Amino acid sequence: MASGWTPVRVVRWPAQQQDRDWCAQRAVPCLLLVEPGRPAPEARPTESVLPQSADQGAVARAVDELSRRAVAAPRPTRAQEPVVLPTGRRRSVVGLVAALF
């Protein structure tokens, strides 16, 4: 993003484990807030882990750091694959988006 920051998702661990997996699949930065008495998971490259009892300043610093790391990291690229329409016609993703306008 041009503004120099990326949105960060805050996830409560382990209650929102599926949200953590969703973020990992999409390379979305994620701050895990670990519930008291639960073991903290090992942080992935796009994650930070804090106890749920962390103060507001610690959470803000972790979110800022994750956002900066995400901006600096290279974005994954996907190979352009044709989209198969129900009619059987094949159209590129670019062509499909262009057809919407």
Side-chain angles (χ1 to χ4, degrees):
M1 292 185 154
S3 63
W5 69 275
T6 297
V8 173
R9 190 152 192 170
V10 178
V11 174
R12 296 192 186 281
W13 180 261
Q16 296 176 316
Q17 183 172 356
Q18 64 195 42
D19 290 351
R20 180 189 188 208
D21 295 338
W22 182 92
C23 290
Q25 291 171 353
R26 291 160 181 82
V28 172
C30 179
L31 172 60
L32 298 173
L33 296 179
V34 181
E35 292 177 6
R38 299 293 189 132
E42 186 173 327
R44 297 171 179 158
T46 58
E47 295 176 339
S48 285
V49 179
L50 289 176
Q52 193 170 355
S53 61
D55 65 29
Q56 190 174 4
V59 171
R61 286 187 297 278
V63 167
D64 288 346
E65 176 61 28
L66 281 167
S67 181
R68 279 193 293 274
R69 274 195 277 163
V71 168
R75 301 297 282 172
T77 57
R78 293 185 183 182
Q80 220 174 7
E81 297 177 16
V83 175
V84 179
L85 301 175
T87 61
R89 291 184 2 194
R90 295 173 65 89
R91 187 179 279 178
S92 71
V93 173
V94 174
L96 184 61
V97 171
L100 295 172
F101 296 97

Coordinates of all heavy atoms in Angstrom, one line a residue:
M1 N 0.8 -1.2 0.0 CA 0.0 0.0 0.0 C 0.9 1.2 0.0 O 1.9 1.3 0.6 CB -0.9 0.0 1.2 CG -1.9 -1.0 1.2 SD -3.0 -0.8 2.7 CE -4.4 -1.6 2.0
A2 N 0.4 2.3 -0.6 CA 1.2 3.5 -0.7 C 1.3 4.2 0.6 O 2.3 4.9 0.9 CB 0.5 4.4 -1.7
S3 N 0.4 4.0 1.6 CA 0.5 4.7 2.8 C 1.5 4.2 3.8 O 1.8 4.8 4.8 CB -0.9 4.7 3.5 OG -1.2 3.3 3.8
G4 N 2.1 3.0 3.5 CA 3.2 2.5 4.3 C 2.7 1.6 5.4 O 3.4 1.3 6.4
W5 N 1.4 1.1 5.4 CA 0.9 0.2 6.4 C 0.0 -0.8 5.8 O -0.6 -0.5 4.7 CB 0.3 1.0 7.6 CG -1.0 1.6 7.2 CD1 -1.1 2.9 6.7 CD2 -2.3 1.1 7.4 NE1 -2.5 3.1 6.5 CE2 -3.2 2.0 6.9 CE3 -2.8 -0.1 7.9 CZ2 -4.6 1.9 6.9 CZ3 -4.2 -0.3 7.8 CH2 -5.0 0.7 7.4
T6 N -0.2 -1.9 6.5 CA -1.1 -2.9 6.0 C -2.0 -3.3 7.2 O -1.5 -3.4 8.3 CB -0.3 -4.2 5.6 OG1 0.6 -3.8 4.5 CG2 -1.1 -5.3 5.2
P7 N -3.3 -3.6 6.9 CA -4.1 -4.0 8.0 C -3.6 -5.3 8.7 O -3.1 -6.2 8.0 CB -5.5 -4.2 7.3 CG -5.4 -3.5 6.0 CD -4.0 -3.5 5.7
V8 N -3.8 -5.4 10.0 CA -3.4 -6.5 10.8 C -4.7 -7.1 11.4 O -5.5 -6.4 12.0 CB -2.4 -6.1 11.8 CG1 -2.1 -7.3 12.8 CG2 -1.1 -5.6 11.2
R9 N -4.8 -8.4 11.4 CA -5.9 -9.1 12.0 C -5.5 -9.5 13.4 O -4.5 -10.1 13.6 CB -6.3 -10.3 11.2 CG -7.6 -10.9 11.6 CD -8.3 -11.5 10.5 NE -9.7 -11.8 10.9 CZ -10.6 -12.2 10.0 NH1 -10.2 -12.3 8.8 NH2 -11.8 -12.5 10.4
V10 N -6.4 -9.2 14.4 CA -6.1 -9.6 15.8 C -7.0 -10.9 16.0 O -8.2 -10.9 15.8 CB -6.5 -8.5 16.8 CG1 -6.3 -9.0 18.2 CG2 -5.6 -7.3 16.5
V11 N -6.3 -11.9 16.5 CA -7.0 -13.2 16.7 C -6.8 -13.7 18.1 O -5.7 -13.7 18.6 CB -6.4 -14.3 15.7 CG1 -7.0 -15.6 15.9 CG2 -6.7 -13.8 14.2
R12 N -7.8 -14.2 18.7 CA -7.7 -14.8 20.1 C -7.4 -16.2 19.9 O -8.0 -17.0 19.2 CB -9.0 -14.6 20.8 CG -9.3 -13.1 21.1 CD -10.4 -12.9 22.1 NE -10.8 -11.5 22.2 CZ -10.2 -10.6 22.8 NH1 -9.1 -10.9 23.5 NH2 -10.6 -9.4 22.9
W13 N -6.3 -16.6 20.7 CA -5.8 -18.0 20.6 C -6.2 -18.8 21.9 O -6.0 -18.2 22.9 CB -4.3 -18.0 20.4 CG -3.8 -19.4 20.3 CD1 -3.2 -20.1 21.3 CD2 -3.8 -20.3 19.2 NE1 -2.9 -21.4 20.9 CE2 -3.2 -21.5 19.6 CE3 -4.3 -20.2 17.9 CZ2 -3.1 -22.6 18.7 CZ3 -4.1 -21.2 17.0 CH2 -3.6 -22.4 17.4
P14 N -6.7 -19.9 21.8 CA -7.0 -20.8 20.6 C -8.5 -20.7 20.1 O -8.8 -21.4 19.2 CB -6.8 -22.2 21.2 CG -7.2 -22.1 22.6 CD -6.8 -20.7 23.1
A15 N -9.3 -19.8 20.7 CA -10.7 -19.8 20.3 C -10.9 -19.5 18.8 O -11.9 -20.0 18.2 CB -11.4 -18.7 21.1
Q16 N -10.0 -18.7 18.2 CA -10.2 -18.3 16.8 C -9.1 -19.0 15.9 O -8.6 -18.3 15.0 CB -10.2 -16.8 16.6 CG -11.3 -16.1 17.3 CD -11.3 -14.6 17.3 OE1 -10.2 -14.1 17.5 NE2 -12.4 -14.0 17.0
Q17 N -8.8 -20.2 16.1 CA -7.8 -20.9 15.4 C -8.0 -20.9 13.9 O -7.1 -20.7 13.1 CB -7.6 -22.4 15.8 CG -6.5 -23.1 15.1 CD -6.2 -24.4 15.7 OE1 -6.8 -24.8 16.7 NE2 -5.3 -25.2 15.1
Q18 N -9.3 -21.0 13.5 CA -9.6 -21.0 12.0 C -9.3 -19.6 11.4 O -8.9 -19.5 10.2 CB -11.1 -21.4 11.8 CG -12.1 -20.5 12.3 CD -13.5 -21.1 12.4 OE1 -13.6 -22.3 12.7 NE2 -14.5 -20.3 12.0
D19 N -9.4 -18.6 12.2 CA -9.1 -17.2 11.7 C -7.6 -17.1 11.4 O -7.1 -16.5 10.5 CB -9.5 -16.1 12.6 CG -11.0 -16.0 12.7 OD1 -11.7 -16.6 11.9 OD2 -11.5 -15.2 13.6
R20 N -6.8 -17.8 12.3 CA -5.3 -17.8 12.2 C -5.0 -18.5 10.9 O -4.1 -18.1 10.1 CB -4.7 -18.5 13.3 CG -3.2 -18.6 13.2 CD -2.6 -19.4 14.3 NE -1.1 -19.3 14.2 CZ -0.3 -20.3 14.6 NH1 -0.8 -21.4 15.1 NH2 1.0 -20.1 14.6
D21 N -5.6 -19.7 10.6 CA -5.4 -20.4 9.4 C -5.8 -19.6 8.2 O -5.1 -19.6 7.2 CB -6.1 -21.7 9.4 CG -5.6 -22.7 10.5 OD1 -4.5 -22.5 11.0 OD2 -6.4 -23.6 11.0
W22 N -6.9 -18.9 8.2 CA -7.4 -18.0 7.1 C -6.3 -17.0 6.8 O -6.0 -16.8 5.7 CB -8.7 -17.4 7.5 CG -9.3 -16.5 6.5 CD1 -10.2 -16.9 5.5 CD2 -9.0 -15.1 6.2 NE1 -10.5 -15.8 4.7 CE2 -9.8 -14.7 5.1 CE3 -8.3 -14.2 6.9 CZ2 -9.8 -13.4 4.7 CZ3 -8.3 -12.9 6.4 CH2 -9.1 -12.5 5.3
C23 N -5.7 -16.4 7.9 CA -4.7 -15.3 7.7 C -3.5 -16.0 7.0 O -2.9 -15.4 6.1 CB -4.4 -14.7 9.0 SG -5.6 -13.6 9.7
A24 N -3.1 -17.1 7.5 CA -1.9 -17.8 7.0 C -2.0 -18.1 5.5 O -1.1 -17.9 4.7 CB -1.6 -19.0 7.8
Q25 N -3.2 -18.6 5.1 CA -3.4 -18.9 3.7 C -3.3 -17.7 2.8 O -3.0 -17.8 1.6 CB -4.8 -19.6 3.5 CG -4.9 -20.9 4.2 CD -6.3 -21.4 4.2 OE1 -7.3 -20.7 3.8 NE2 -6.5 -22.7 4.6
R26 N -3.6 -16.5 3.3 CA -3.6 -15.3 2.5 C -2.5 -14.3 2.8 O -2.5 -13.2 2.3 CB -5.0 -14.6 2.8 CG -6.1 -15.4 2.2 CD -7.5 -15.0 2.8 NE -8.5 -15.7 2.2 CZ -8.9 -17.0 2.6 NH1 -8.2 -17.6 3.6 NH2 -9.9 -17.6 2.1
A27 N -1.5 -14.8 3.6 CA -0.4 -13.9 4.1 C -0.8 -12.6 4.7 O -0.2 -11.6 4.5 CB 0.5 -13.7 2.9
V28 N -1.9 -12.7 5.5 CA -2.4 -11.5 6.2 C -1.7 -11.5 7.5 O -1.7 -12.4 8.3 CB -3.9 -11.6 6.4 CG1 -4.5 -10.5 7.3 CG2 -4.7 -11.6 5.0
P29 N -1.1 -10.3 7.9 CA -0.5 -10.2 9.2 C -1.5 -10.5 10.3 O -2.6 -10.0 10.2 CB 0.0 -8.8 9.2 CG 0.1 -8.3 7.8 CD -1.0 -9.1 7.1
C30 N -1.0 -11.2 11.3 CA -1.9 -11.6 12.4 C -1.3 -11.5 13.8 O -0.1 -12.0 14.0 CB -2.3 -13.1 12.1 SG -3.3 -13.9 13.3
L31 N -2.0 -10.9 14.7 CA -1.5 -10.8 16.1 C -2.3 -11.8 16.9 O -3.6 -11.7 16.9 CB -1.7 -9.4 16.6 CG -1.5 -9.2 18.1 CD1 0.0 -9.6 18.5 CD2 -1.8 -7.8 18.6
L32 N -1.7 -12.7 17.5 CA -2.3 -13.8 18.3 C -2.3 -13.3 19.8 O -1.3 -13.1 20.3 CB -1.7 -15.1 18.2 CG -1.6 -15.7 16.8 CD1 -0.8 -17.0 16.8 CD2 -3.0 -16.1 16.3
L33 N -3.5 -13.2 20.3 CA -3.6 -12.9 21.8 C -4.0 -14.2 22.5 O -5.1 -14.7 22.3 CB -4.7 -11.8 22.0 CG -4.4 -10.5 21.4 CD1 -5.6 -9.5 21.7 CD2 -3.1 -9.9 21.9
V34 N -3.1 -14.7 23.3 CA -3.2 -16.0 23.9 C -4.0 -15.9 25.2 O -3.6 -15.1 26.1 CB -1.8 -16.7 24.1 CG1 -1.9 -18.1 24.7 CG2 -1.0 -16.7 22.8
E35 N -5.0 -16.8 25.3 CA -5.8 -16.8 26.5 C -4.9 -17.3 27.7 O -4.0 -18.1 27.5 CB -6.9 -17.8 26.3 CG -8.0 -17.3 25.3 CD -9.1 -18.4 25.1 OE1 -9.1 -19.4 25.8 OE2 -9.9 -18.1 24.2
P36 N -5.2 -16.8 28.9 CA -4.5 -17.2 30.1 C -4.5 -18.7 30.3 O -5.5 -19.4 30.1 CB -5.2 -16.5 31.3 CG -6.0 -15.4 30.6 CD -6.3 -15.9 29.2
G37 N -3.4 -19.3 30.7 CA -3.3 -20.7 30.9 C -3.1 -21.6 29.7 O -3.0 -22.8 29.8
R38 N -3.1 -21.0 28.5 CA -3.0 -21.8 27.3 C -1.5 -21.6 26.8 O -0.9 -20.5 26.9 CB -3.9 -21.3 26.2 CG -5.4 -21.4 26.6 CD -5.8 -22.9 26.6 NE -7.2 -23.0 26.8 CZ -7.9 -23.8 26.0 NH1 -7.4 -24.6 25.2 NH2 -9.2 -23.8 26.2
P39 N -1.0 -22.6 26.2 CA 0.4 -22.5 25.6 C 0.3 -21.7 24.4 O -0.6 -21.8 23.6 CB 0.8 -23.9 25.3 CG -0.5 -24.7 25.2 CD -1.5 -24.0 26.1
A40 N 1.3 -20.8 24.2 CA 1.4 -20.0 23.0 C 1.9 -20.8 21.8 O 2.8 -21.6 22.0 CB 2.3 -18.8 23.2
P41 N 1.3 -20.7 20.6 CA 1.8 -21.4 19.5 C 3.1 -20.7 19.0 O 3.3 -19.6 19.3 CB 0.6 -21.2 18.4 CG 0.0 -19.9 18.8 CD 0.1 -19.8 20.3
E42 N 3.8 -21.5 18.2 CA 5.0 -20.9 17.5 C 4.5 -19.9 16.5 O 3.7 -20.2 15.6 CB 5.8 -22.0 16.9 CG 7.2 -21.5 16.4 CD 8.1 -22.6 15.9 OE1 8.0 -23.7 16.5 OE2 8.8 -22.4 15.0
A43 N 5.1 -18.7 16.5 CA 4.7 -17.7 15.6 C 5.2 -18.0 14.2 O 6.3 -18.4 14.0 CB 5.2 -16.3 16.0
R44 N 4.3 -17.8 13.2 CA 4.7 -17.9 11.8 C 5.3 -16.6 11.3 O 5.3 -15.6 12.1 CB 3.5 -18.2 11.0 CG 2.8 -19.5 11.3 CD 1.5 -19.7 10.7 NE 0.9 -21.0 11.0 CZ -0.4 -21.2 10.9 NH1 -1.3 -20.3 10.5 NH2 -0.9 -22.4 11.2
P45 N 5.9 -16.5 10.2 CA 6.6 -15.2 9.7 C 5.7 -14.0 9.7 O 6.1 -12.9 9.9 CB 7.1 -15.6 8.3 CG 7.2 -17.1 8.3 CD 6.2 -17.6 9.2
T46 N 4.4 -14.2 9.5 CA 3.5 -13.1 9.4 C 2.7 -12.9 10.7 O 1.6 -12.2 10.7 CB 2.5 -13.3 8.2 OG1 1.8 -14.5 8.4 CG2 3.2 -13.3 6.9
E47 N 3.2 -13.4 11.8 CA 2.5 -13.3 13.1 C 3.4 -12.8 14.2 O 4.6 -12.9 14.2 CB 2.0 -14.7 13.5 CG 1.0 -15.4 12.6 CD 0.7 -16.8 13.0 OE1 1.5 -17.4 13.7 OE2 -0.4 -17.2 12.6
S48 N 2.7 -12.3 15.2 CA 3.3 -12.0 16.5 C 2.4 -12.6 17.6 O 1.1 -12.7 17.3 CB 3.4 -10.5 16.7 OG 4.4 -9.9 16.0
V49 N 2.9 -13.0 18.7 CA 2.2 -13.6 19.8 C 2.3 -12.8 21.0 O 3.5 -12.5 21.4 CB 2.6 -15.1 20.0 CG1 1.8 -15.7 21.1 CG2 2.5 -15.9 18.7
L50 N 1.2 -12.5 21.7 CA 1.2 -11.8 23.0 C 0.2 -12.4 23.9 O -0.8 -13.0 23.4 CB 0.8 -10.3 22.8 CG 1.8 -9.3 22.1 CD1 1.1 -8.0 22.0 CD2 3.1 -9.2 22.9
P51 N 0.4 -12.3 25.2 CA -0.6 -12.8 26.1 C -1.9 -11.9 26.0 O -1.7 -10.7 25.7 CB 0.0 -12.7 27.5 CG 1.1 -11.7 27.4 CD 1.5 -11.8 25.9
Q52 N -3.0 -12.4 26.2 CA -4.3 -11.7 26.2 C -4.3 -10.5 27.2 O -4.9 -9.5 27.0 CB -5.5 -12.6 26.4 CG -6.8 -12.0 26.0 CD -7.9 -13.0 26.1 OE1 -7.7 -14.2 26.3 NE2 -9.1 -12.6 25.9
S53 N -3.5 -10.6 28.2 CA -3.4 -9.6 29.3 C -2.4 -8.5 28.9 O -2.2 -7.6 29.7 CB -3.0 -10.3 30.6 OG -1.7 -10.9 30.4
A54 N -1.8 -8.5 27.7 CA -0.9 -7.5 27.3 C -1.6 -6.1 27.3 O -2.8 -6.0 27.0 CB -0.4 -7.7 25.9
D55 N -0.8 -5.1 27.7 CA -1.4 -3.7 27.8 C -1.6 -3.1 26.4 O -1.1 -3.7 25.4 CB -0.6 -2.8 28.7 CG 0.8 -2.5 28.1 OD1 1.0 -2.5 26.9 OD2 1.7 -2.3 29.0
Q56 N -2.3 -2.1 26.3 CA -2.7 -1.5 25.0 C -1.5 -1.0 24.2 O -1.4 -1.1 23.0 CB -3.6 -0.3 25.3 CG -4.3 0.3 24.0 CD -5.3 1.3 24.3 OE1 -5.5 1.7 25.5 NE2 -6.0 1.8 23.3
G57 N -0.4 -0.5 25.0 CA 0.8 -0.1 24.3 C 1.5 -1.2 23.6 O 2.0 -1.1 22.5
A58 N 1.6 -2.4 24.3 CA 2.2 -3.6 23.7 C 1.5 -4.1 22.5 O 2.1 -4.4 21.5 CB 2.3 -4.7 24.7
V59 N 0.2 -4.1 22.5 CA -0.6 -4.5 21.4 C -0.4 -3.5 20.2 O -0.2 -3.9 19.1 CB -2.1 -4.6 21.7 CG1 -3.0 -4.8 20.5 CG2 -2.3 -5.7 22.8
A60 N -0.4 -2.2 20.5 CA -0.2 -1.2 19.4 C 1.2 -1.3 18.8 O 1.3 -1.3 17.6 CB -0.4 0.2 20.0
R61 N 2.2 -1.6 19.6 CA 3.5 -1.8 19.0 C 3.6 -3.0 18.2 O 4.2 -3.0 17.1 CB 4.6 -1.8 20.2 CG 4.9 -0.5 20.8 CD 6.0 -0.5 21.8 NE 5.8 -1.4 22.9 CZ 5.1 -1.1 24.0 NH1 4.6 0.2 24.1 NH2 4.9 -1.9 25.0
A62 N 3.0 -4.1 18.6 CA 3.0 -5.3 17.8 C 2.3 -5.2 16.5 O 2.7 -5.6 15.5 CB 2.4 -6.5 18.7
V63 N 1.1 -4.5 16.5 CA 0.4 -4.2 15.3 C 1.2 -3.4 14.4 O 1.3 -3.7 13.2 CB -1.0 -3.6 15.6 CG1 -1.7 -3.1 14.4 CG2 -1.9 -4.6 16.3
D64 N 1.8 -2.3 14.9 CA 2.7 -1.5 14.0 C 3.8 -2.2 13.4 O 4.1 -2.1 12.2 CB 3.2 -0.3 14.8 CG 2.2 0.8 15.2 OD1 1.1 0.7 14.6 OD2 2.4 1.6 16.0
E65 N 4.5 -3.1 14.2 CA 5.6 -3.9 13.7 C 5.1 -4.9 12.6 O 5.8 -5.0 11.6 CB 6.3 -4.6 14.8 CG 7.4 -5.5 14.4 CD 8.5 -4.8 13.7 OE1 8.8 -3.7 13.9 OE2 9.2 -5.5 12.8
L66 N 4.0 -5.5 12.8 CA 3.5 -6.5 11.8 C 3.1 -5.7 10.5 O 3.4 -6.2 9.4 CB 2.2 -7.2 12.4 CG 2.5 -8.3 13.3 CD1 1.2 -8.7 14.0 CD2 3.1 -9.5 12.6
S67 N 2.5 -4.6 10.7 CA 2.1 -3.8 9.5 C 3.4 -3.4 8.7 O 3.4 -3.5 7.5 CB 1.4 -2.6 9.9 OG 1.0 -1.8 8.8
R68 N 4.4 -2.9 9.4 CA 5.6 -2.5 8.7 C 6.3 -3.7 8.0 O 6.8 -3.6 6.9 CB 6.6 -1.9 9.7 CG 6.3 -0.4 9.9 CD 7.5 0.3 10.6 NE 7.7 -0.2 12.0 CZ 7.0 0.2 13.1 NH1 6.1 1.2 12.9 NH2 7.3 -0.3 14.2
R69 N 6.4 -4.8 8.7 CA 6.9 -6.1 8.1 C 6.2 -6.5 6.8 O 6.8 -6.9 5.9 CB 6.9 -7.2 9.1 CG 8.1 -7.2 10.0 CD 8.2 -8.6 10.7 NE 7.4 -8.6 11.9 CZ 7.0 -9.7 12.5 NH1 7.4 -10.9 12.1 NH2 6.2 -9.6 13.5
A70 N 4.9 -6.4 6.9 CA 4.1 -6.8 5.7 C 4.3 -5.9 4.5 O 4.4 -6.3 3.4 CB 2.6 -6.8 6.1
V71 N 4.5 -4.6 4.8 CA 4.8 -3.6 3.7 C 6.1 -3.9 3.1 O 6.3 -3.9 1.8 CB 4.7 -2.2 4.2 CG1 5.2 -1.2 3.1 CG2 3.3 -1.8 4.5
A72 N 7.1 -4.3 3.9 CA 8.5 -4.5 3.4 C 8.6 -5.9 2.7 O 9.5 -6.1 1.9 CB 9.4 -4.5 4.6
A73 N 7.7 -6.8 3.1 CA 7.8 -8.2 2.5 C 7.3 -8.2 1.0 O 6.4 -7.5 0.7 CB 7.0 -9.2 3.3
P74 N 8.0 -9.0 0.2 CA 7.5 -9.1 -1.2 C 6.1 -9.8 -1.2 O 5.9 -10.7 -0.4 CB 8.5 -10.0 -1.9 CG 9.2 -10.7 -0.8 CD 9.1 -9.8 0.5
R75 N 5.2 -9.3 -2.0 CA 3.9 -9.9 -2.1 C 3.9 -11.2 -3.0 O 4.6 -11.2 -4.0 CB 2.9 -8.9 -2.8 CG 2.8 -7.6 -2.0 CD 2.2 -7.8 -0.7 NE 0.8 -7.9 -0.8 CZ 0.0 -8.2 0.3 NH1 0.6 -8.4 1.4 NH2 -1.2 -8.4 0.2
P76 N 3.3 -12.2 -2.5 CA 3.2 -13.4 -3.4 C 2.5 -13.2 -4.7 O 1.5 -12.4 -4.7 CB 2.5 -14.4 -2.5 CG 1.7 -13.6 -1.5 CD 2.5 -12.3 -1.3
T77 N 2.9 -13.8 -5.7 CA 2.2 -13.6 -7.0 C 1.6 -15.0 -7.4 O 2.1 -16.0 -7.1 CB 3.2 -13.2 -8.1 OG1 4.3 -14.2 -8.2 CG2 3.8 -11.8 -7.8
R78 N 0.5 -14.9 -8.0 CA -0.2 -16.1 -8.5 C -0.1 -16.1 -10.0 O -0.2 -15.1 -10.7 CB -1.7 -16.0 -8.1 CG -1.9 -16.1 -6.7 CD -3.4 -16.2 -6.4 NE -3.7 -16.2 -5.0 CZ -4.9 -16.2 -4.5 NH1 -5.9 -16.3 -5.3 NH2 -5.0 -16.2 -3.2
A79 N 0.1 -17.3 -10.5 CA 0.1 -17.5 -11.9 C -1.3 -17.2 -12.4 O -2.3 -17.6 -11.8 CB 0.5 -18.9 -12.3
Q80 N -1.4 -16.6 -13.6 CA -2.7 -16.2 -14.1 C -3.3 -17.5 -14.7 O -2.8 -18.0 -15.7 CB -2.6 -15.1 -15.1 CG -3.7 -14.2 -15.0 CD -3.5 -13.0 -16.0 OE1 -2.6 -13.0 -16.8 NE2 -4.3 -12.0 -15.8
E81 N -4.4 -18.0 -14.2 CA -5.1 -19.2 -14.7 C -6.4 -18.8 -15.3 O -7.1 -17.9 -14.8 CB -5.3 -20.1 -13.5 CG -4.0 -20.6 -12.9 CD -4.3 -21.6 -11.7 OE1 -5.4 -22.1 -11.6 OE2 -3.4 -21.8 -10.9
P82 N -6.7 -19.4 -16.4 CA -8.0 -19.1 -17.0 C -9.2 -19.5 -16.1 O -9.1 -20.5 -15.4 CB -8.0 -19.9 -18.3 CG -7.0 -20.9 -18.2 CD -6.0 -20.4 -17.1
V83 N -10.2 -18.8 -16.2 CA -11.4 -19.1 -15.4 C -12.4 -19.9 -16.3 O -12.6 -19.5 -17.5 CB -12.1 -17.8 -14.9 CG1 -13.5 -18.2 -14.2 CG2 -11.2 -17.1 -14.0
V84 N -12.9 -21.0 -15.8 CA -13.8 -21.8 -16.6 C -15.2 -21.4 -16.3 O -15.6 -21.5 -15.1 CB -13.6 -23.3 -16.4 CG1 -14.6 -24.1 -17.2 CG2 -12.2 -23.7 -16.7
L85 N -15.9 -20.9 -17.2 CA -17.3 -20.5 -17.0 C -18.2 -21.7 -17.1 O -17.9 -22.7 -17.7 CB -17.7 -19.4 -18.1 CG -16.8 -18.2 -18.1 CD1 -17.2 -17.3 -19.2 CD2 -16.9 -17.4 -16.8
P86 N -19.4 -21.6 -16.5 CA -20.3 -22.7 -16.5 C -20.7 -23.1 -17.9 O -21.1 -24.3 -18.2 CB -21.6 -22.2 -15.8 CG -21.1 -21.1 -14.9 CD -19.9 -20.5 -15.6
T87 N -20.6 -22.2 -18.9 CA -20.9 -22.5 -20.3 C -19.9 -23.3 -20.9 O -20.0 -23.8 -22.1 CB -21.1 -21.2 -21.1 OG1 -19.9 -20.5 -21.1 CG2 -22.3 -20.4 -20.5
G88 N -18.7 -23.5 -20.3 CA -17.6 -24.2 -20.8 C -16.6 -23.3 -21.5 O -15.5 -23.8 -21.9
R89 N -17.0 -22.1 -21.7 CA -16.0 -21.2 -22.4 C -14.9 -20.8 -21.4 O -15.2 -20.7 -20.2 CB -16.7 -19.9 -22.8 CG -17.6 -20.0 -23.9 CD -18.2 -18.7 -24.4 NE -17.7 -17.6 -23.6 CZ -18.3 -16.4 -23.7 NH1 -19.4 -16.2 -24.4 NH2 -17.7 -15.4 -23.0
R90 N -13.7 -20.7 -21.8 CA -12.6 -20.3 -21.0 C -12.3 -18.8 -21.2 O -12.3 -18.3 -22.3 CB -11.4 -21.1 -21.3 CG -11.6 -22.6 -20.9 CD -10.5 -23.5 -21.4 NE -9.2 -23.2 -20.7 CZ -8.9 -23.8 -19.6 NH1 -9.7 -24.7 -19.1 NH2 -7.7 -23.5 -19.0
R91 N -12.0 -18.1 -20.1 CA -11.8 -16.7 -20.1 C -10.7 -16.4 -19.1 O -10.8 -16.9 -18.0 CB -13.0 -15.9 -19.9 CG -12.9 -14.4 -20.1 CD -14.2 -13.7 -19.9 NE -15.0 -13.8 -21.0 CZ -16.3 -13.3 -21.1 NH1 -16.8 -12.7 -20.0 NH2 -17.0 -13.4 -22.1
S92 N -9.8 -15.5 -19.4 CA -8.8 -15.2 -18.4 C -9.4 -14.3 -17.3 O -10.5 -13.7 -17.5 CB -7.6 -14.4 -19.0 OG -8.1 -13.1 -19.4
V93 N -8.8 -14.3 -16.1 CA -9.3 -13.5 -15.0 C -9.4 -12.0 -15.5 O -10.3 -11.3 -15.1 CB -8.4 -13.6 -13.8 CG1 -8.8 -12.7 -12.7 CG2 -8.4 -15.1 -13.3
V94 N -8.4 -11.5 -16.2 CA -8.4 -10.2 -16.7 C -9.6 -9.9 -17.6 O -10.3 -8.9 -17.5 CB -7.0 -9.8 -17.4 CG1 -7.1 -8.4 -18.0 CG2 -5.9 -9.9 -16.4
G95 N -9.8 -10.8 -18.5 CA -11.0 -10.7 -19.4 C -12.3 -10.7 -18.6 O -13.2 -10.0 -18.9
L96 N -12.4 -11.6 -17.6 CA -13.6 -11.6 -16.8 C -13.8 -10.3 -16.0 O -14.9 -9.8 -16.0 CB -13.5 -12.8 -15.8 CG -14.7 -13.1 -14.9 CD1 -15.9 -13.5 -15.8 CD2 -14.4 -14.2 -13.9
V97 N -12.8 -9.8 -15.4 CA -12.9 -8.5 -14.7 C -13.3 -7.4 -15.7 O -14.2 -6.5 -15.5 CB -11.7 -8.1 -14.0 CG1 -11.7 -6.7 -13.4 CG2 -11.4 -9.1 -12.8
A98 N -12.7 -7.4 -16.9 CA -13.0 -6.4 -17.9 C -14.4 -6.5 -18.4 O -15.1 -5.5 -18.6 CB -12.0 -6.5 -19.1
A99 N -14.9 -7.7 -18.4 CA -16.3 -7.9 -18.8 C -17.3 -7.3 -17.8 O -18.5 -7.0 -18.2 CB -16.6 -9.4 -19.1
L100 N -16.9 -7.2 -16.6 CA -17.8 -6.6 -15.6 C -18.0 -5.1 -15.7 O -19.0 -4.6 -15.2 CB -17.2 -6.9 -14.2 CG -17.1 -8.4 -13.8 CD1 -16.4 -8.5 -12.4 CD2 -18.5 -9.0 -13.6
F101 N -17.1 -4.4 -16.4 CA -17.2 -3.0 -16.5 C -17.7 -2.6 -17.9 O -17.9 -2.6 -18.8 CB -15.9 -2.3 -16.3 CG -15.4 -2.5 -14.8 CD1 -14.5 -3.5 -14.5 CD2 -15.9 -1.7 -13.8 CE1 -14.2 -3.7 -13.2 CE2 -15.6 -1.9 -12.5 CZ -14.7 -2.9 -12.2

